[in-house]
Amino acid sequence: MENQLHEKFMRMAIELSEYNIKQGLGGPFGAVIVKDGVVIAGSANKVIPENDPTAHAEVSAIRLACTALGTYNLSGCEIYTSCEPCPMCLGAIYWARLDKIYYANTKADAADIGFDDHFIYNEIAFNMEDRKLPFVQLLRDEALPVFKQWGTAGLNNTHY
């Protein structure tokens, strides 16, 4: 019975991904966030219609779920996504504190249709000075006191 419920939610994510391409709205990705067996939010990829490179299905669903629940912490929720999350979405899932990820297609499947994130995974592993995108540190001495204020204000236990 539980497996049927997981499959139901995954089919919803897949349906969102299919609807997205049939409507010409963007990439074939969909995500659904569930809490206690109830769908809290669902979204397809919105990169093209919103002109927002961060509007992947998972990130868009996280934003909707956070709004619906009135929190930035989605502990107790699970995400069903039509494809293994890219590095950005994976980071967002961790930051949102989702309990589990269910996925259908793999990152290799995504690469086969032109959505290859391999270069990002490779770049993350390199030292900053060896990355293709230059990293330049500026004004750390001016920025560091703000971090210290955060720590002394007792807010640092939230990690947000």
Side-chain angles (χ1 to χ4, degrees):
M1 183 68 168
E2 185 177 330
N3 199 40
Q4 289 176 335
L5 203 53
H6 293 307
E7 289 176 1
K8 173 187 168 186
F9 297 136
M10 183 58 73
R11 283 188 181 99
M12 294 171 91
I14 294 167
E15 287 170 8
L16 283 166
S17 70
E18 185 177 26
Y19 177 84
N20 214 42
I21 61 168
K22 284 184 175 178
Q23 297 298 313
L25 298 173
F29 304 98
V32 174
I33 295 178
V34 175
K35 183 172 185 167
D36 300 324
V38 177
V39 175
I40 304 301
S43 183
N45 181 292
K46 296 181 177 184
V47 170
I48 293 171
E50 294 187 6
N51 292 315
D52 180 354
T54 69
H56 290 197
E58 297 91 338
V59 171
S60 296
I62 288 169
R63 290 172 179 160
L64 292 169
C66 288
T67 298
L69 295 175
T71 182
Y72 56 82
N73 186 330
L74 297 179
S75 294
C77 297
E78 300 173 331
I79 189 165
Y80 296 79
T81 177
S82 65
C83 186
E84 183 178 356
C86 75
M88 176 185 68
C89 292
L90 185 59
I93 289 166
Y94 273 101
W95 279 111
R97 307 294 194 258
L98 288 153
D99 289 355
K100 191 177 279 190
I101 302 168
Y102 295 90
Y103 67 96
N105 293 314
T106 67
K107 61 185 175 185
D109 297 329
D112 287 345
I113 63 166
F115 293 93
D116 191 353
D117 298 322
H118 190 72
F119 75 97
I120 298 173
Y121 287 107
N122 286 343
E123 284 286 301
I124 290 169
F126 293 143
N127 291 324
M128 279 194 252
E129 60 273 6
D130 297 325
R131 293 179 182 167
K132 290 181 180 151
L133 185 63
F135 278 68
V136 180
Q137 186 176 27
L138 294 173
L139 302 177
R140 178 175 182 255
D141 291 342
E142 292 182 30
L144 196 54
V146 179
F147 273 22
K148 290 180 181 179
Q149 288 174 26
W150 172 263
T152 59
L155 301 171
N156 59 352
N157 64 351
T158 61
H159 303 289
Y160 293 98

